[in-house]
Amino acid sequence: MGRGKLRIYLGAAPGVGKTYAMLSEAHRRIERGTDCVVGFVEHHNRPRTEVMLHGLELIQRREIEYRGGTFTEMDVDAILARRPAVALVDELAHTNVPGSRNAKRWQDVEELLQAGIDVVSTVNIQHLESLGDVVETITGVRQRETVPDEVARRADQIELVDMSPQALRRRMAHGNVYKPDKVDAALSNYFRPGNLTALRELALLWVADRVDEYLQEYRGEHNIRSTWQARERIVVGLTGGPEGRTLIRRAARLAEKGAGGEVLAVYIAASDGLTSASPKELAVQRTLVEDLGGTFHHVIGDHVPDALLEFARGCNATQIVLGVSRRRSWQSVFRPGVSATVARESGPDLDVHIVTHDQAAKGRGLPTGRGTRLGRSRVIWGWLTGIVGPALLAVLLNQVVPDLGLANDMLLFLTFTVAAALLGGLLPALASAAFGSLLLNYFFTPPLHEFTISDPKNIVAIAIFVGVAVSVASVVDLAARRTHQAARLRAESEILSFLAGSVLRGENSLDALLERLRETFAMQSVALLERTSDVDPWTTAASVGISPAGRPEEADVDLPIGDTMALALTGRVLPAEDRRVLGAFAAQAAVVLDRQRLVDEAGKARELAEGNRIRTALLAAVSHDLRTPLAGIKASVTSLRSDDVEWSEEDRAELLEGIEDGADRLAALIGNLLDMSRLNTGTIVPLIRETDLDEVVPMALGGVPEDSVLLDIPEILPMVAVDRGLLERAVANIVENAVKYSPAGQPVHVSASALGSRVELRVVDRGPGVPDEAKGRIFEPFQRHGDAPRGAGVGLGLAVARGFTDAIGGTLTAEDTPGGGLTMVLTLPVAGGTPPVTAELPSEAVT
């Protein structure tokens, strides 16, 4: 049984028509004879959407009891038992009520896919986990229900349901999205034209990136090397010189002319010669291109023009920006520059822009080395010089200057041997020495025109000629190989310097390191594999690229890292000389992975240390603060049970009142201790709903005397998006703390007002106040300011209030009251007309 396929309808905002499009797709599939059911669809009382449910088979929802209420969720078991071909599951990012089969709906969908059932679902762009901060910056609303990006990226199909902001606002104004009483609030808050435009751009860009991934994967699978100009990608070739800044800015301006343009700056550490690149200048250019929204790449290539074109075609670039050569005019006579070569060999699919700059034709500053590897053209010229040159020289000497002398003839032939060594290396030079000695013997050594030598002196001369020729050729070839080694070591040193710098900077991005490794060696994918023992299967700790290897045996290059880790690369087989640098990358990858895990363990250790600190403080508090009311209760009960004293009714009532007060104090202390424990363990689960503040605040005043608080909560305040129970507990703790420190006859003032997208609740007392340096400490657990009596509590009231406020998306701060005292400011988010949103719920919650 294969895995089912997931299709997602992605929208920029509520109301664009995702659910309608999903239901339309269901009707089309049913018409084609596909077995399709509705697992969960929320029509939000929208008539047009509700009509689309007619004719579709609905799976009965599961009812779940939670906190005294009844909620309905998708019944995964019923869908699995029904086993349709396709299931419709709305709102992929929804958080299930505790007691459900899974904590999140996308986990329910994953079960259906594993069972071989195709799923059609919907999600808004603001619910993608990676975009939470961006959406909050745009709209001012934090999305508490999110779905991991990887879940959406694994979808087999993603279809964007698009609508212009103006059309969506008209749809809302006509009452097709929200009820009429909520339309005005929605249009003036979340659904402002600017918000909708920004969200729409996010959705379009995210889908464009997904399409780009599909395109790269398709090109890789079909080995397509030509450029498909579906999107403007501009590659900037950098040499490390100061002109690079000009080229980057020019490329950025070109990218701005086309929507979605992308700039990729690439520096190629050429292995065919030493470079004059300045690491400091490259660092400046890297920062510049990243500030302009582009990316920086460092690549090693045997031949700079070929490597640059290979990189451009590999990333499907459409344009290349290069600078006018810094070489002087006379240097171009011997060898064309990089820009000229790239422009000649780019072909019709790549546009090459050659940009003038201040450094043009001023020279490179430092001399460049010779080629590390002799190209084919140089080898051919070496052979021609070593063979054809001596032949032409022999003809010339015979016809023009036949009596020049054997010694001079040998020097002339030796000149061609040296030239052959300089051009083509050792083999052409040796061939030239052998061929030249034969020509000297045949044409210039008596007897002439015979391969014999009569004079012993001539034999010695010929032998010396061959020896000198071979020696010179060997020295020249050795110098060329040393140049090759120096250039390669220079490139390797740049890479090792980068790795050492990343260690010193404490960089912990394993994916960035593997991506750098993939670019350096021009590989298709890189994966870091690990296992616990020799018999256990390999698991992927991190990977980049297309189709990474799951085992070392599947890779083109594998490098063991100790006994339990391995680096697996696919794309091509690397030469043995590259394994040294590869080993440095592998060691650094293992270090980064260990560092990441150490950081995680350090975080857990800090949490344990904080827990130990709180437990120590708890024991200290329990030793006295809980014992005091218990002692009072014990004394009162003992007195009432005593037979030695006849208590009057007034005395009995006073003793019973003392027992009741002690029990109330114990209940409050234990309640705060339990709340603090829930906050520390992360089991506080807010259920965010639209709530009227004037309904919650009065309920929170039950624990204080009637005349101790003056309440001013206007009825015209907008509704707030909070958990009603948590808000009530937070307000109760704040008010009780204010009443405790207020002088007699000075009631606490509780007022509320609306400020933009927030509502402020202010609790004002006329007590002694708190110094500025202590305002932050009063919200810490087990902290009591000043000389508060030991029986006044364990110092958890404000800490619990701050924790509950943070959990529901609000803030709690302390300010000075004008004229003396302390003002607690509780800021809450306005509901804004959006549908009720449930926060992320774990599979188990302690209530």
Side-chain angles (χ1 to χ4, degrees), residues 329-614:
S329 301
W330 61 267
Q331 292 177 304
S332 301
V333 176
F334 299 97
R335 184 165 61 93
V338 172
S339 55
T341 305
V342 171
R344 185 180 67 250
E345 299 180 1
S346 61
D349 55 346
L350 272 173
D351 296 334
V352 179
H353 302 265
I354 299 179
V355 180
T356 58
H357 52 82
D358 295 338
Q359 302 298 320
K362 291 185 178 180
R364 293 183 174 273
L366 292 177
T368 60
R370 292 187 179 275
T372 59
R373 291 178 181 175
L374 301 175
R376 178 179 299 178
S377 60
R378 287 192 58 180
V379 173
I380 293 174
W381 276 106
W383 282 100
L384 290 175
T385 302
I387 302 300
V388 178
L392 294 177
L393 178 61
V395 174
L396 179 64
L397 291 176
N398 267 318
Q399 299 296 328
V400 180
V401 283
D403 299 323
L404 192 60
L406 182 59
N408 293 327
D409 295 338
M410 287 184 176
L411 290 175
L412 293 174
F413 276 96
L414 184 61
T415 301
F416 281 98
T417 301
V418 173
L422 290 172
L423 291 174
L426 183 60
L427 289 180
L430 294 178
S432 178
F435 185 59
S437 64
L438 292 176
L439 292 177
L440 284 170
N441 182 14
Y442 188 81
F443 289 104
F444 304 103
T445 305
L448 300 179
H449 306 298
E450 292 181 13
F451 288 103
T452 58
I453 302 176
S454 60
D455 190 351
K457 294 181 181 180
N458 292 336
I459 297 176
V460 174
I462 293 295
I464 292 175
F465 167 79
V466 174
V468 171
V470 171
S471 300
V472 170
S474 300
V475 170
V476 172
D477 182 72
L478 179 62
R481 286 190 286 113
R482 289 291 183 263
T483 303
H484 163 63
Q485 293 173 0
R488 182 167 188 84
L489 290 174
R490 171 63 182 269
E492 290 181 1
S493 67
E494 291 179 357
I495 297 173
L496 296 176
S497 175
F498 161 78
L499 294 176
S502 65
V503 173
L504 295 176
R505 292 189 297 268
E507 296 177 356
N508 292 325
S509 176
L510 185 57
D511 289 341
L513 178 66
L514 295 184
E515 180 63 26
R516 177 65 181 271
L517 170 59
R518 188 185 70 82
E519 290 181 358
T520 299
F521 292 102
M523 303 302 287
Q524 180 179 347
S525 66
V526 179
L528 182 62
L529 309 177
E530 63 175 351
R531 59 181 178 181
T532 55
S533 67
D534 294 338
V535 297
D536 291 328
W538 290 96
T539 59
T540 302
S543 64
V544 296
I546 302 173
S547 303
R551 295 183 303 168
E553 297 80 9
E554 300 172 356
D556 296 317
V557 180
D558 68 281
L559 185 68
I561 311 174
D563 297 329
T564 59
M565 299 181 67
L567 200 61
L569 298 85
T570 60
R572 64 188 180 94
V573 178
L574 294 178
E577 57 188 357
D578 287 336
R579 296 186 72 87
R580 177 171 53 186
V581 176
L582 186 61
F585 270 106
Q588 178 66 6
V591 169
V592 171
L593 181 61
D594 289 340
R595 185 182 297 159
Q596 287 181 350
R597 291 173 175 172
L598 287 175
V599 169
D600 294 338
E601 291 176 3
K604 295 178 182 178
R606 284 192 296 269
E607 294 177 2
L608 290 175
E610 179 66 15
N612 289 334
R613 187 189 68 81
I614 291 177

Side-chain angles (χ1 to χ4, degrees), residues 66 80 288 485 500 561 626 632:
Y66 180 68
L80 293 175
L288 175 61
Q485 293 173 0
I561 311 174
L626 296 183

